[in-house]
């Protein structure tokens, strides 16, 4: 297993744990809404933030799954658009990227 693959596996596990916490929050596993209206308003705002974070997390998780599949196929270091090698420095910063900087900017 490559360092990048190992890093992606760790990121995937972290994101899945985060999604589990979001789900627990959404199902009010820590208790029902407060009876006070102002507290309910704060909790509702928090729910919206959690929903947004969950959406971002699911998107990042999908990117990680896609990158891991490309690694398993032996093409993880190649840009999926132009086929050129992705700069290792880019992969270090964005380990789940599947495109080179030129294609990402284009």
């Amino acid at each position: 297993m490559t360092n990048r693959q190992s890093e992606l596996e760790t990121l995937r596990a972290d994101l899945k744990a985060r999604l589990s916490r979001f789900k627990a929050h959404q199902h009010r596993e820590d208790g029902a809404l407060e009876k006070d209206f102002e507290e309910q308003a704060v909790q509702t705002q928090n729910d919206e933030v959690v929903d947004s974070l969950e959406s971002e997390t699911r998107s990042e998780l999908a990117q990680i799954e896609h990158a891991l599949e490309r690694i398993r196929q032996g093409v993880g270091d190649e840009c999926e658009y132009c086929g050129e090698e992705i700069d290792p420095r880019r992969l270090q910063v964005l380990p789940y990227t599947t495109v080179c900087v030129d294609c990402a900017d284009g």
Side-chain angles (χ1 to χ4, degrees):
M1 183 181 302
T2 66
N3 285 346
R4 180 169 162 234
Q5 187 174 5
S6 177
E7 183 179 356
L8 288 171
E9 296 279 355
T10 300
L11 279 171
R12 180 172 61 179
D14 290 346
L15 291 175
K16 286 183 175 185
R18 191 178 307 166
L19 285 173
S20 179
R21 288 191 303 273
F22 293 154
K23 184 178 180 182
H25 173 84
Q26 290 166 331
H27 288 103
R28 302 273 180 236
E29 291 178 10
D30 57 348
L33 282 175
E34 295 290 328
K35 292 182 178 164
D36 179 55
F37 181 73
E38 287 182 27
E39 283 297 317
Q40 284 182 1
V42 169
Q43 286 177 311
T44 301
Q45 279 183 318
N46 288 345
D47 290 347
E48 291 171 6
V49 170
V50 169
D51 288 346
S52 177
L53 291 171
E54 179 184 14
S55 178
E56 290 174 21
T57 301
R58 287 190 186 286
S59 175
E60 188 174 353
L61 185 58
Q63 292 174 50
I64 289 169
E65 295 288 359
H66 182 65
L68 284 168
E69 182 57 33
R70 288 183 53 78
I71 289 170
R72 284 190 283 273
Q73 293 172 358
V75 293
D77 294 341
E78 297 173 13
C79 174
E80 68 181 325
Y81 294 138
C82 71
E84 295 295 316
E85 182 178 353
I86 301 171
D87 188 322
R89 293 171 295 184
R90 178 169 170 76
L91 291 173
Q92 189 173 13
V93 174
L94 292 170
Y96 51 80
T97 191
T98 58
V99 295
C100 68
V101 71
D102 291 334
C103 290
D105 288 343

